[in-house]
């Protein structure tokens, strides 16, 4: 057996020893599902990406579980969470849910966010900077102004058009195909949209998920001021070949806060929460 295969088998055996705990909490009319990893004295709250759930962070338990207790909730319309409240999830509701799950959330804690979860984490730092000890972002959304996301979720007209389009998407497919042909969209973005909008269920999920999470909309100027004034630690990991979340957005965000914001880029695409990237992710906690 080749050495790399031996190492893979060892890692798999170690992973089997890691105990993943799950639970539910009742919140208003909803049931929030969460995962708990590790047994460390410090709390690390983990926010997953679009279409994923809290189990994405299980891979961090072996390396970080002795230092941290990792809590990862399933966002509304994700995983096993059943969301029956109004079609909006707020910063205060998120903090209240965390405090129900663990008393550690009553004290300052650490944050890690991947993709969409990065946008949520950035907004939580903006709103609760005294509560957040450090922030690690993995291929994070939220570091650039997406005009279409803002129009679809932050305006009444845009949200109505968004709702209509998710039920009757033909016009959007035609428009995007033309835009891609003339170079207004790159093919990766076009394929990304096609993947998530091809099936009706996926379109309705997209509407519910984006609309429910619309309040998590960070103001980058305010964030940069907070980071500078409070000397907040922010470490960001990007994939060099990621066509959706670009490293340049992190580098722009870093400007003026070089002492407190660290940006790393590795040979990868967008899917960074994988076993093969654990060393690069956990290294951010030693940088």
């Amino acid at each position: 057996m080749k050495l790399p295969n031996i190492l893979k088998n060892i890692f798999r055996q170690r992973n089997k020893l890691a105990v993943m705990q799950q639970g539910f909490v009742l919140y208003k009319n909803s049931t929030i599902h969460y995962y708990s990893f590790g047994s460390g004295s410090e709390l690390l709250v983990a926010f997953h990406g679009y279409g994923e759930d809290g189990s994405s962070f299980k891979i961090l338990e072996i390396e970080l579980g002795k230092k941290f207790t990792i809590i990862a909730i399933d966002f509304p319309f994700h995983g096993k969470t059943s969301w029956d409240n109004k079609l909006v999830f707020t910063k205060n509701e998120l903090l209240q849910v965390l405090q129900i799950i663990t008393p550690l959330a009553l004290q300052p804690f650490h944050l890690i966010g991947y993709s969409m979860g990065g946008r949520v984490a950035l907004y939580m730092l903006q709103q609760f900077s005294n509560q957040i000890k450090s922030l690690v972002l993995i291929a994070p959304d939220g570091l650039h102004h997406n005009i279409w996301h803002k129009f679809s979720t932050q305006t009444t007209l845009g949200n109505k058009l968004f709702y209509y389009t998710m039920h009757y998407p033909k016009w959007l497919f035609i428009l995007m195909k033309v835009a891609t042909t003339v170079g207004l969209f790159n093919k990766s973005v076009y394929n990304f949209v096609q993947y998530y909008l091809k099936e009706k269920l996926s379109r309705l999920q997209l509407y519910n998920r984006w609309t429910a999470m619309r309040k998590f909309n960070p103001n980058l100027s305010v964030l940069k001021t907070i980071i500078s004034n409070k000397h907040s630690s922010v470490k960001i990991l990007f994939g060099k070949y990621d066509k959706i979340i670009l490293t340049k957005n992190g580098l722009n965000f870093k400007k003026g806060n070089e002492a407190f914001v660290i940006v790393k880029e590795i040979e990868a695409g967008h899917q960074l929460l994988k076993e093969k990237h654990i060393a690069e992710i956990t290294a951010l906690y030693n940088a």
Side-chain angles (χ1 to χ4, degrees):
M1 183 181 293
K2 295 182 179 180
L3 183 58
N5 291 330
I6 293 175
L7 294 176
K8 287 181 181 179
N9 288 333
I10 291 174
F11 186 90
R12 291 192 185 101
Q13 291 302 317
R14 290 176 67 203
N15 231 10
K16 290 178 181 178
L17 297 176
V19 178
M20 178 174 69
Q21 299 180 355
Q22 303 181 51
F24 293 89
V25 295
L26 297 178
Y27 184 76
K28 298 181 180 179
N29 297 322
S30 299
T31 304
I32 310 297
H33 181 258
Y34 69 92
Y35 295 88
S36 177
F37 316 108
S39 57
S41 59
E42 296 192 58
L43 176 62
L44 174 60
V45 176
F47 298 143
H48 64 77
Y50 180 89
E52 302 188 3
D53 60 44
S55 66
S56 303
F57 293 95
K58 185 183 189 312
I59 62 172
L60 302 182
E61 183 174 14
I62 293 298
E63 298 298 329
L64 298 180
K66 291 183 179 180
K67 179 178 181 180
F68 297 107
T69 294
I70 305 169
I71 298 295
I73 74 165
D74 293 350
F75 287 137
F77 304 103
H78 288 80
K80 299 176 184 177
T81 286
S82 176
W83 187 256
D84 293 316
N85 298 332
K86 292 181 179 179
L87 196 57
V88 61
F89 191 40
T90 69
K91 63 182 189 299
N92 290 325
E93 289 176 322
L94 175 52
L95 190 59
Q96 288 166 12
V97 167
L98 293 172
Q99 291 172 346
I100 293 171
I101 293 173
T102 173
L104 290 176
L106 295 171
Q107 304 297 325
F109 54 84
H110 303 264
L111 279 183
I112 182 171
Y114 167 66
S115 196
M116 181 188 75
R119 175 163 55 86
V120 176
L122 283 164
Y123 188 73
M124 293 299 281
L125 176 62
Q126 176 183 322
Q127 298 297 318
F128 302 109
S129 58
N130 291 329
Q131 189 78 6
I132 310 304
K133 297 177 72 173
S134 71
L135 173 60
V136 168
L137 301 171
I138 312 296
D141 187 16
L143 288 178
H144 72 291
H145 298 289
N146 186 325
I147 187 173
W148 299 112
H149 182 272
K150 184 176 182 179
F151 178 65
S152 299
T153 62
Q154 307 299 317
T155 70
T156 301
L157 175 61
N159 194 249
K160 288 182 178 179
L161 180 60
F162 185 21
Y163 180 86
Y164 175 85
T165 302
M166 293 304 95
H167 288 79
Y168 309 100
K170 187 175 180 179
W171 74 269
L172 178 63
F173 291 148
I174 295 173
L175 180 63
M176 285 205 67
K177 188 172 183 179
V178 172
T180 302
T181 301
V182 300
L184 295 179
F185 285 108
N186 67 55
K187 193 167 179 62
S188 296
V189 173
Y190 176 72
N191 291 339
F192 180 82
V193 173
Q194 284 279 88
Y195 176 81
Y196 281 109
L197 299 187
K198 184 169 62 174
E199 301 295 335
K200 182 176 181 179
L201 176 60
S202 296
R203 295 196 301 272
L204 298 183
Q205 286 176 332
L206 176 64
Y207 177 80
N208 287 333
R209 289 166 176 172
W210 271 24
T211 304
M213 302 299 290
R214 68 185 182 275
K215 295 295 185 179
F216 296 94
N217 188 34
N219 184 312
L220 299 183
S221 296
V222 171
L223 266 171
K224 293 179 77 168
T225 299
I226 289 172
I227 292 169
S228 177
N229 291 342
K230 295 184 176 295
H231 297 181
S232 300
S233 170
V234 180
K235 299 168 184 177
I236 317 175
L237 186 68
F238 292 92
K240 182 177 180 179
Y241 308 111
D242 192 338
K243 302 298 184 182
I244 306 299
I245 307 295
L246 306 180
T247 305
K248 69 177 184 180
N249 296 324
L251 295 174
N252 289 334
F253 183 70
K254 179 179 178 178
K255 291 178 180 177
N257 273 319
E258 287 81 2
F260 312 114
V261 179
I262 295 175
V263 175
K264 300 280 188 180
E265 184 181 72
I266 62 174
E267 297 284 329
H270 184 66
Q271 298 296 328
L272 298 184
L273 279 182
K274 293 185 176 182
E275 290 181 4
K276 62 183 178 180
H277 301 311
I278 288 178
E280 289 94 340
I281 295 172
T282 55
L284 296 174
Y285 289 91
N286 299 318

